[in-house]
Amino acid sequence: MVQQLPEEAVEAVRDHLRGIVGKEELAGLRRRLDRRADLTAETLVKSTRAQLEILVAIKTGIPAYLTPKAFSVPELVEVFTLARCRNPACKSLLPIEDCDCKICSSKKGFCSACMCPVCLEFDCALNTCSWVGCDVCSHWCHASCGLEKGLIRPGQGTTGVQFHCLGCGHASEMFGFVKDVFGVCANDWVVETMKKELDCVRRIFGGSEDSKGRELKGVAEELLLRLEKRVISASDACDAMLRYFKYGVFEFSVSGASSKDLSQITQRTADVSGQPPIPPPKITYPLNTTTTKIDLNTEIAHKSTHKPLPCEPSSEPPFPFKPSLSKREDSDSLESIIRFKEAEARLFQSKADEARREAEGYLQIVRAKMKKLEEEYTTNLAKLCLQETEERRRKKLKELKALENSQCDYYNMKMRMQVEIASLLERMEATKQQCV
């Protein structure tokens, strides 16, 4: 019938189908098409390209198949018979790599390269947390679909949030997945993309029960809020996430130790010395990537000369100070800095002592294990030797018993022979007397 229609009529059919995509009318046409049992691969090969394009567009609901001569006839036939992926950007033969998992084998037309096994929809999104994948079979799923179906959920015990694959049932860790995505892709994201990714991370770890997952959720919410308020840029949010994944904290002191630990050390120092505590310098987000580090000597010289540093954009000094500082105030400032550095050194020394004690504890455990293993080895060896000795004793007893039995038999035989010889001698003597 389509062969008999003029080109204008065929184009009108294409335009009409483009207009009803996503509507109930197209769904009704698809249901009627699914009831046709005569549309096999052998029948479709005999159809024209225009017929195949219209049939495939109705079956898939994708307007791209209405473009004339965009796809070859074999491709259109394979897409219609669900032997090829219906995604125009993928068009992979199915199943992918002859996968025989329960999804690829049961859901005809499913493409593990670009489709979600839950909603069976596809997109070509890359470099994103909105698609989560399995570590074993490489099946991917929409994060929203995984959350809706309970495939993304906290693991048992202290295990973090995991993605449970529908294909193989393997549980993949989400914390490491998100860390890898941000480490590789986040530098190229713009603000809107960063917002979407942070919101996705927030939803993935929304039900997390472990400390790392809850912390990551809090970091994502904080950065998302600051992006919404336009306080930070996408690069600042990226730096914050990468710093969190690297160091495990959202705020840092200049020395890399946590602000809480340094505050406790400086407070203890103040209690001993009677001087007021010095708050540790802290880098908080938003981060300024153009900030220049200033060493201690430059800072002191800057305070004493009252001149702005050449790297600063304004003429005001970076730290507040009085117009004239006496030597006493300079000395107090130096003493404060020295006290802080001493407190910091004590913190690191305590960390080192703790690590040394932990190493010694591990060494003692290893020694105890080695001693226990040696004792077990000696015991097992002694048991083995005892078993061998017992086996030899049993063999010797058997041999001795056999010898005793043979000796007893020999003695009995000897006694019988002696009796028989004595009886024979008596008969010979009696016979001799009779003859005489």
Side-chain angles (χ1 to χ4, degrees), residues 180-199:
D180 293 340
V181 171
F182 271 84
V184 175
C185 313
N187 287 323
D188 300 328
W189 292 341
V190 296
V191 174
E192 293 302 322
T193 306
M194 181 64 73
K195 288 181 182 179
K196 293 179 181 178
E197 298 301 322
L198 289 174
D199 181 65

Side-chain angles (χ1 to χ4, degrees), residues 62 82 157 242 373:
I62 301 174
L82 304 180
L242 295 180
L373 289 175

Side-chain angles (χ1 to χ4, degrees), residues 332-352:
D332 292 341
S333 177
L334 285 174
E335 289 177 358
S336 300
I337 295 174
I338 291 171
R339 284 198 303 273
F340 173 73
K341 292 299 181 182
E342 289 177 349
E344 193 176 23
R346 282 192 292 273
L347 171 64
F348 288 135
Q349 185 62 42
S350 64
K351 296 286 186 182

Side-chain angles (χ1 to χ4, degrees), residues 114-143:
C114 65
M115 291 185 185
C116 172
V118 177
C119 64
L120 299 182
E121 297 297 331
F122 61 84
D123 61 62
C124 294
L126 298 173
N127 304 332
T128 177
C129 295
S130 60
W131 279 84
V132 295
C134 176
D135 297 335
V136 176
C137 64
S138 299
H139 281 56
W140 292 80
C141 171
H142 285 127

Side-chain angles (χ1 to χ4, degrees), residues 129-310:
C129 295
S130 60
W131 279 84
V132 295
C134 176
D135 297 335
V136 176
C137 64
S138 299
H139 281 56
W140 292 80
C141 171
H142 285 127
S144 56
C145 294
L147 290 169
E148 182 180 353
K149 296 297 181 180
L151 301 178
I152 300 177
R153 60 181 184 269
Q156 297 179 353
T158 58
T159 309
V161 177
Q162 297 176 332
F163 166 64
H164 297 264
C165 179
L166 277 178
C168 64
H170 175 73
S172 304
E173 292 291 340
M174 286 289 95
F175 189 89
F177 168 75
V178 173
K179 178 180 178 180
D180 293 340
V181 171
F182 271 84
V184 175
C185 313
N187 287 323
D188 300 328
W189 292 341
V190 296
V191 174
E192 293 302 322
T193 306
M194 181 64 73
K195 288 181 182 179
K196 293 179 181 178
E197 298 301 322
L198 289 174
D199 181 65
C200 185
V201 173
R202 178 186 61 81
R203 289 188 289 112
I204 288 176
F205 292 91
S208 178
E209 298 176 356
D210 64 312
S211 58
K212 288 201 306 183
R214 291 195 298 268
E215 288 176 359
L216 181 56
K217 176 194 172 186
V219 172
E221 289 178 344
E222 178 67 20
L223 293 177
L224 184 60
L225 179 62
R226 297 191 182 195
L227 285 173
E228 293 289 348
K229 294 181 179 180
R230 298 183 180 180
V231 177
I232 59 175
S233 63
S235 60
D236 293 334
C238 174
D239 293 339
M241 289 294 289
L242 295 180
R243 190 182 293 269
Y244 170 75
F245 284 127
K246 184 175 181 180
Y247 297 105
V249 289
F250 189 49
E251 292 183 350
F252 306 98
S253 70
V254 293
S255 60
S258 64
S259 303
K260 182 179 179 181
D261 293 339
L262 287 180
S263 299
Q264 293 175 353
I265 295 295
T266 52
Q267 182 65 41
R268 290 197 297 267
T269 305
D271 294 340
V272 174
S273 61
Q275 298 292 334
I278 305 169
K282 184 187 298 182
I283 300 174
T284 58
Y285 298 102
L287 296 174
N288 185 2
T289 56
T290 60
T291 303
T292 305
K293 293 183 179 180
I294 305 171
D295 60 13
L296 181 60
N297 296 329
T298 308
E299 180 182 348
I300 297 172
H302 174 60
K303 286 186 176 182
S304 60
T305 56
H306 302 177
K307 292 181 180 179
L309 293 175

Side-chain angles (χ1 to χ4, degrees), residues 49-62:
R49 183 189 295 270
Q51 289 175 329
L52 288 174
E53 290 170 350
I54 293 174
L55 290 175
V56 172
I58 294 174
K59 188 175 183 66
T60 61
I62 301 174

Side-chain angles (χ1 to χ4, degrees), residues 17-70:
L17 290 177
R18 292 189 185 98
I20 63 175
V21 170
K23 297 182 180 179
E24 183 61 29
E25 183 178 355
L26 184 63
L29 291 175
R30 186 183 301 114
R31 287 192 294 270
R32 294 177 62 183
L33 194 62
D34 292 337
R35 290 195 293 266
R36 293 282 300 273
D38 58 329
L39 296 178
T40 61
E42 293 77 8
T43 306
L44 293 171
V45 169
K46 301 176 183 178
S47 304
T48 64
R49 183 189 295 270
Q51 289 175 329
L52 288 174
E53 290 170 350
I54 293 174
L55 290 175
V56 172
I58 294 174
K59 188 175 183 66
T60 61
I62 301 174
Y65 288 106
L66 295 172
T67 304
K69 299 181 180 180

